[in-house]
Amino acid sequence: MTRTAFVSACAVLLIGGAALAQEKPGQATVEAYVKSTFGKASPEWQARIAPDESLTVCNLTRNNASSAEAEAMIKRELARVTYPADGKLLGDWKKGYAVANNGRGGQFSDPPGTAAGGNCFACHQLDPKEVSYGTLGPSLAAYGRDRKYDAEAMKDAYTKIYNSMAVVPCSNMPRFGANKVLDEQQIKDVMAYLFDPESPVNK
Amino acid sequence: MKLPTIGAAVLAAAMTLAAGHLTAQSQPQQSPAQDDSEKEIERYRQMLSDPFSNPGFLAVDRGEALWAEKRGAKNVSLEGCDLGEGPGRLEGAFARLPRWFADSDRVMDTEQRLLWCMDKVQGLDTKDVVARRFAGPGRASDMEDLTAFIANKSSGMKIEPQLKHAKELEMAAVGEELFFRRGGVMDFSCATCHAEEGKRIRLQGLPNLATPGAAAQATMASWPTYRVSQSQLRTMQHRLWDCYRQQRWPVPEYASDSLTALTVFLQKQAAGGEIAVPSIKR
């Protein structure tokens, strides 16, 4: 009797397991689908959608990394941040505006060699006079002024732009420097757009 | 019947502004120019809500003719094509696609099934049809026209995702995984933009498709649509192609399984939504 009950309980568990497995497909199944749709792309394009260690964690946890994973991620991503050798974090805010306003680059429709922009306005308010801004990220209006142009705040912002996941694990924001979307000068110029007292962001 | 290009451009710009007005109400007072745009948009909207003014219905008409046209090595029409409701039965077929088909043992969306029927029923070499998958200036798309015609036959019906067969369930589950899968140089997934309420890119509102309900219903029930900014009728195949482009992913293969999986997942989120197609969008 007891034994029958035990076997039944096991059977129920197995069925439950099978139902769950159906809910969450195996990684090999998902990869096969990805291959069926993107498998003809060039190796260079394929590499772009091969998740690195951090993105693998973000995908598996849907951006809710455990505290241990988050800690490891911050360490790993921080090691990928390169600060300017000359120690200067701010470039030209006018050029920074151009980078923030440019949404081109990295799309399969872009001609080869297209200079990528940061497309900051797609997700953030920056210059309060600009009407066309997105809301996926927080408003960055008066960013430098609100932080009293503090040196530490500048370094933190540089780190965030260079590699968002070095600051916020599984951040939705692109890792602009680490993923080589923007180069150092472009990041410096965007930094100036955020931190130069003359920038419209701070007016 | 076709909108003049300038009119279409004005409408596209105006509708973008309208989206801004609706979502960005915290903005300071509107300029007189914006007020004028508002009136123009409303006028255009009313004009285009009339089915006889929506150029998307031209695609429906072309699709109807293509459906009945004898083509391919077998010189037969597509009327022998089974879209899930039986050969030639169109009413409600689109509302239940994608679905599993016994003859191919595959889950197929409308376009995949059409390509299958062209090959098996008509004996048609689909190379040219696939080359013209997305219409452009002076290039009609049989696939977009046929899909518009087929979808229109489900207008007024409710989205009924088919989730009985094991392969349909797999499609829905994989589609969900793909929806949340991040990649590309920007680390973007579908969910980056479509997992929260009331968000927008620039001024464009973004439907939250991560949870089932009204936003997903309104989205899925309004494709295929006539895109004013492109002066073409477009189907979900084009919408997902364009989403992956903006996500900085590689070009997705047309009528391939990840796109169908995403469509099954989205139909699941949109279950019960009342189909009204072709619609008209920016």
Side-chain angles (χ1 to χ4, degrees):
Chain A
M1 212 36 190
T2 317
R3 191 171 169 164
T4 315
F6 176 73
V7 170
S8 309
C10 284
V12 168
L13 278 175
L14 280 170
I15 291 164
L20 277 179
Q22 211 159 41
E23 265 311 304
K24 186 106 176 156
Q27 208 46 45
T29 306
V30 177
E31 297 305 328
Y33 274 78
V34 170
K35 191 151 187 277
S36 77
T37 294
F38 300 101
K40 285 186 188 166
S42 70
E44 195 251 337
W45 270 100
Q46 303 268 357
R48 295 186 192 186
I49 55 165
D52 63 15
E53 205 176 342
S54 295
L55 214 54
T56 301
V57 171
C58 302
N59 284 342
L60 284 174
T61 62
R62 293 201 184 159
N63 299 331
N64 289 304
S66 70
S67 52
E69 286 165 336
E71 207 178 306
M73 193 181 299
I74 285 180
K75 205 175 151 197
R76 180 168 56 238
E77 297 297 329
L78 212 43
R80 299 175 66 200
V81 180
T82 307
Y83 296 94
D86 62 6
K88 290 188 181 124
L89 297 180
L90 305 190
D92 177 343
W93 72 259
K94 286 176 186 161
K95 288 180 183 161
Y97 164 72
V99 173
N101 197 39
N102 178 10
R104 296 213 175 272
Q107 301 177 126
F108 59 66
S109 53
D110 290 321
T114 301
N119 208 15
C120 312
F121 283 100
C123 299
H124 295 284
Q125 183 180 37
L126 291 143
D127 174 355
K129 290 201 179 72
E130 171 58 73
V131 189
S132 175
Y133 63 89
T135 58
L136 285 161
S139 169
L140 306 177
Y143 194 85
R145 197 179 72 208
D146 281 357
R147 285 157 185 78
K148 302 185 170 57
Y149 308 106
D150 175 64
E152 270 308 299
M154 281 185 202
K155 196 186 170 198
D156 290 348
Y158 189 93
T159 309
K160 180 78 187 276
I161 296 166
Y162 198 99
N163 190 344
S164 60
M165 291 191 199
V167 181
V168 179
C170 297
S171 169
N172 267 336
M173 185 167 136
R175 295 174 283 178
F176 288 106
N179 277 355
K180 298 187 166 52
V181 174
L182 300 180
D183 63 24
E184 185 176 289
Q185 191 55 50
Q186 286 178 303
I187 296 177
K188 283 182 170 187
D189 292 339
V190 170
M191 282 289 295
Y193 190 54
L194 288 173
F195 278 99
D196 193 315
E198 293 308 308
S199 161
V201 169
N202 296 312
K203 290 288 177 186
Chain B
M1 195 80 172
K2 196 171 189 295
L3 278 174
T5 312
I6 291 170
V10 167
L11 175 61
M15 285 176 93
T16 305
L17 284 168
H21 179 64
L22 291 173
T23 46
Q25 285 173 345
S26 59
Q27 285 306 309
Q29 68 279 10
Q30 302 259 306
S31 68
Q34 278 172 310
D35 285 342
D36 286 349
S37 304
E38 287 296 315
K39 283 179 200 144
E40 272 303 276
I41 303 151
E42 203 38 55
R43 197 173 69 81
Y44 269 111
R45 279 216 174 113
Q46 281 178 4
M47 199 176 91
L48 291 168
S49 64
D50 171 4
F52 293 100
S53 301
N54 177 350
F57 281 87
L58 294 175
V60 173
D61 291 346
R62 286 193 299 266
E64 183 170 18
L66 282 167
W67 180 256
E69 187 184 323
K70 290 178 182 170
R71 290 206 291 186
K74 298 179 187 172
N75 195 33
V76 292
S77 75
L78 282 166
E79 287 156 326
C81 177
D82 182 357
L83 294 168
E85 303 299 311
R89 292 182 63 103
L90 294 167
E91 273 69 25
F94 183 78
R96 296 179 201 105
L97 282 164
R99 70 193 296 167
W100 176 78
F101 290 88
D103 51 17
S104 61
D105 191 26
R106 284 178 61 199
V107 177
M108 296 166 146
D109 74 344
T110 310
E111 283 91 333
Q112 284 177 313
R113 188 61 185 171
L114 275 170
L115 289 172
W116 195 91
C117 285
M118 286 172 180
D119 178 35
K120 306 285 184 214
V121 177
Q122 296 185 301
L124 183 73
D125 180 354
T126 55
K127 209 174 140 194
D128 168 58
V129 168
V130 171
R132 293 184 288 112
R133 59 198 174 278
F134 303 137
R139 186 182 72 239
S141 166
D142 294 6
M143 297 304 290
E144 286 174 338
D145 292 345
L146 281 163
T147 304
F149 166 62
I150 292 161
N152 178 249
K153 292 285 182 189
S154 287
S155 237
M157 298 180 192
K158 291 196 160 69
I159 294 171
E160 271 184 64
Q162 299 298 296
L163 299 165
K164 293 177 211 81
H165 193 277
K167 290 195 176 175
E168 292 167 346
L169 292 169
E170 178 186 289
M171 276 274 176
V174 171
E176 182 172 343
E177 290 299 305
L178 293 172
F179 184 84
F180 288 98
R181 184 184 173 107
R182 300 175 66 177
V185 291
M186 299 283 222
D187 295 331
F188 288 157
S189 69
C190 308
T192 306
C193 291
H194 294 289
E196 277 187 84
E197 302 293 334
K199 297 289 181 181
R200 53 175 221 253
I201 289 180
R202 290 279 186 165
L203 292 176
Q204 182 62 49
L206 299 162
N208 175 6
L209 306 172
T211 46
Q217 287 176 336
T219 301
M220 295 306 286
S222 56
W223 286 85
T225 190
Y226 182 81
R227 294 291 306 269
V228 175
S229 57
Q230 301 174 21
S231 305
Q232 301 293 350
L233 177 126
R234 298 300 190 197
T235 76
M236 267 322 265
Q237 283 288 335
H238 189 275
R239 178 62 271 178
L240 294 175
W241 174 86
D242 207 23
C243 279
Y244 273 124
R245 183 180 71 83
Q246 292 174 297
Q247 275 172 244
R248 275 79 177 169
W249 280 50
V251 183
E253 180 82 2
Y254 181 72
S256 63
D257 284 345
S258 294
L259 302 184
T260 303
L262 276 167
T263 306
V264 173
F265 169 65
L266 293 172
Q267 290 289 78
K268 186 181 165 190
Q269 303 297 77
E274 191 176 317
I275 299 166
V277 293
S279 72
I280 187 157
K281 291 178 193 279
R282 175 185 67 84

